[in-house]
Amino acid sequence: MHRESVFTILDGIVDTDQYKAPVNFPFVLNDTKWEGIIPAGTPMAQVIPFKRESWEHKIGSDKERIEQDKITKKLKTLFFNSYKRQFWSRKEYR
């Protein structure tokens, strides 16, 4: 995503739940004077599928906000890799 190239694919979400036709990805040519053929195998677009489901908006409580503030302060106690060293945990994908 967001790699340097002669073109930039515009970010967006394509809802294909009911749309079954090919998707055209809009792009911007970064160098308007560029001419040529994009070599075969050049990565062009990154597609990240995600599950959508109905949800309900919820405003957090003061207790939740205080807990988030504590986490933010703890993150600031280490200069390098703070999130990874204090909160991150390895995941297993099967």
Side-chain angles (χ1 to χ4, degrees):
M1 187 182 304
H2 306 297
R3 60 182 197 79
E4 290 187 26
S5 180
V6 295
F7 60 90
T8 300
I9 299 285
L10 300 180
D11 299 339
I13 295 174
V14 180
D15 183 349
T16 58
D17 291 350
Q18 296 182 31
Y19 179 79
K20 305 300 181 196
V23 174
N24 292 314
F25 293 97
F27 68 94
V28 175
L29 202 55
N30 296 326
D31 179 1
T32 57
K33 294 183 169 106
W34 181 82
E35 291 184 18
I37 296 175
I38 298 169
T42 300
M44 298 182 80
Q46 182 175 15
V47 178
I48 304 170
F50 60 92
K51 182 178 180 180
R52 289 178 305 280
E53 35 187 52
S54 295
W55 58 280
E56 189 174 312
H57 175 74
K58 174 187 153 200
I59 296 176
S61 67
D62 282 339
K63 182 180 176 184
E64 290 170 313
R65 182 189 52 77
I66 290 167
E67 186 63 30
Q68 290 174 358
D69 288 346
K70 286 180 187 177
I71 291 170
T72 301
K73 287 176 184 169
K74 188 172 181 179
L75 279 170
K76 293 177 182 179
T77 63
L78 293 173
F79 194 73
F80 294 107
N81 300 318
S82 183
Y83 167 78
K84 184 175 182 180
R85 290 167 57 189
Q86 298 184 79
F87 297 100
W88 179 81
S89 62
R90 182 169 301 284
K91 309 294 185 283
E92 276 191 41
Y93 301 97
R94 299 172 197 228

